[in-house]
């Protein structure tokens, strides 16, 4: 099988894995058994996103792409670094991103506490209250979910899917655009606000990945965003009954 044909086959297989996942996704529903719901996600998402991406990279002989930015993405690097604002200084970029995340998390927690103290609903970029933990046991599951999602979704949406799409179409921009659109659509259960917010996160993390050339950093940022929304904020500002019924 030629390289072009293999890449096309692997792209179709990855898209198939994606639609298999979203067809059975129940993230937006308020489950009767929340622990069972978390366990179901932890079975399906790593298989659909993590395992499929790793197998595709292995079959294509592109295992090294996990550690080294693929040359197919090279045309996007200058633009990503301009948008990131730190040029070739990757270290300063990473420090600025982590510092900005920490400041944003503190400000967000302050706003959440103030609104809870006034009896107002929490501000959410989409309908994901059904995912939020209610007990310490559920908090452990959402922490595992947030970290796992940060790893497997970056592996799938920022590396494997755009890589094979770029190989087939000849355009890195088309590859990243397709992956970002599918990433946003995977969060459709959160409503249009959630889809828009997910698209923004996808674009931002893609820029950081291209600007730094390090997939692990994109995974870290994604996981931190998840942990802030699904663990830290609910832990410090418990979900009210009105917020819980917003899904």
């Amino acid at each position: 099988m030629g390289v072009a044909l293999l890449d096309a086959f692997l792209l179709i297989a990855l898209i198939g894995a994606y639609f298999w996942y979203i067809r059975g996704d129940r993230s937006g529903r308020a489950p009767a058994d929340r622990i069972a719901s978390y366990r179901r996600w932890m079975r399906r998402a790593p298989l659909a996103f993590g395992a499929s991406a790793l197998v595709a990279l292995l079959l294509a002989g592109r295992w090294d792409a996990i550690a080294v930015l693929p040359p197919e993405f090279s045309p996007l690097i200058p633009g990503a670094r301009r948008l990131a604002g730190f040029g070739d200084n990757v270290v300063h970029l990473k420090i600025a991103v982590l510092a900005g995340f920490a400041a944003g998390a503190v400000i967000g927690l302050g706003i959440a506490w103030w609104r809870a103290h006034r009896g107002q609903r929490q501000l959410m970029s989409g309908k994901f209250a059904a995912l939020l933990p209610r007990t310490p046991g559920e908090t452990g599951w959402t922490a595992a979910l947030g970290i796992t999602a940060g790893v497997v979704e970056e592996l799938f949406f920022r590396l494997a899917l755009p890589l094979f799409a770029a190989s087939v179409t000849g355009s890195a921009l088309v590859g990243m655009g397709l992956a970002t659109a599918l990433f946003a659509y995977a969060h459709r259960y959160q409503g249009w606000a959630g889809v828009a917010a997910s698209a923004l996160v996808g674009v931002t993390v893609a820029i950081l990945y291209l600007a730094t050339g390090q997939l692990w950093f994109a995974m870290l940022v994604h996981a931190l965003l998840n942990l802030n929304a699904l663990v830290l904020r609910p832990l410090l500002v418990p979900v009210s009954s009105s917020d819980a019924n917003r899904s």
Side-chain angles (χ1 to χ4, degrees):
M1 183 183 293
V3 174
L5 185 59
L6 176 61
D7 286 354
F9 171 79
L10 292 174
L11 175 61
I12 293 171
L14 289 171
I15 293 176
Y18 168 85
F19 280 106
W20 170 79
Y21 170 79
I22 66 170
R23 184 176 181 182
D25 185 22
R26 302 175 183 174
S27 300
R29 305 176 188 177
D33 186 340
R34 302 178 63 80
I35 299 297
S37 178
Y38 295 143
R39 287 174 174 167
R40 186 173 188 274
W41 187 96
M42 290 290 287
R43 289 194 303 268
R44 290 174 56 83
L47 180 62
F49 299 139
S52 67
L54 291 175
V55 170
L57 293 170
L58 181 62
L59 291 176
R62 302 300 303 271
W63 194 258
D64 61 323
I66 296 175
V68 180
L69 189 75
E72 287 86 348
F73 296 159
S74 296
L76 301 180
I77 295 176
R81 288 183 172 174
R82 284 195 298 270
L83 290 171
F86 283 81
D88 296 336
N89 199 324
V90 174
V91 174
H92 285 180
L93 170 59
K94 290 190 289 188
I95 292 173
V97 169
L98 295 178
F101 172 82
V106 170
I107 293 172
L109 284 171
I111 294 173
W113 179 88
W114 180 77
R115 292 183 66 86
H117 185 70
R118 292 172 59 88
Q120 298 177 348
R121 285 184 170 185
Q122 294 300 320
L123 299 174
M124 295 184 184
S125 57
K127 302 176 182 178
F128 61 89
L131 296 175
L132 299 180
R134 308 286 194 271
T135 67
E138 292 178 2
T139 298
W141 276 102
T142 55
L145 184 153
I147 294 171
T148 302
V151 173
V152 302
E153 290 181 2
E154 290 307 304
L155 189 61
F156 187 90
F157 291 105
R158 243 60 67 190
L159 176 56
L161 184 59
L163 173 60
F164 291 108
S167 176
V168 170
T169 65
S171 171
L173 185 60
V174 169
M176 280 294 178
L178 173 64
T180 300
L182 292 181
F183 174 74
Y185 183 67
H187 297 82
R188 70 202 183 286
Y189 62 89
Q190 296 181 13
W192 286 112
V195 170
S198 298
L200 180 60
V201 168
V203 169
T204 301
V205 179
I207 289 172
L208 293 178
Y209 170 46
L210 294 167
T212 62
Q214 297 172 336
L215 185 64
W216 70 264
F217 186 68
M219 291 176 173
L220 174 63
V221 171
H222 191 159
L224 288 175
L225 289 171
N226 289 343
L227 290 174
N228 179 60
L230 297 177
V231 179
L232 182 61
R233 189 172 297 184
L235 188 63
L236 299 180
V237 184
V239 180
S240 67
S241 58
S242 61
D243 288 322
N245 293 326
R246 292 175 65 180
S247 309

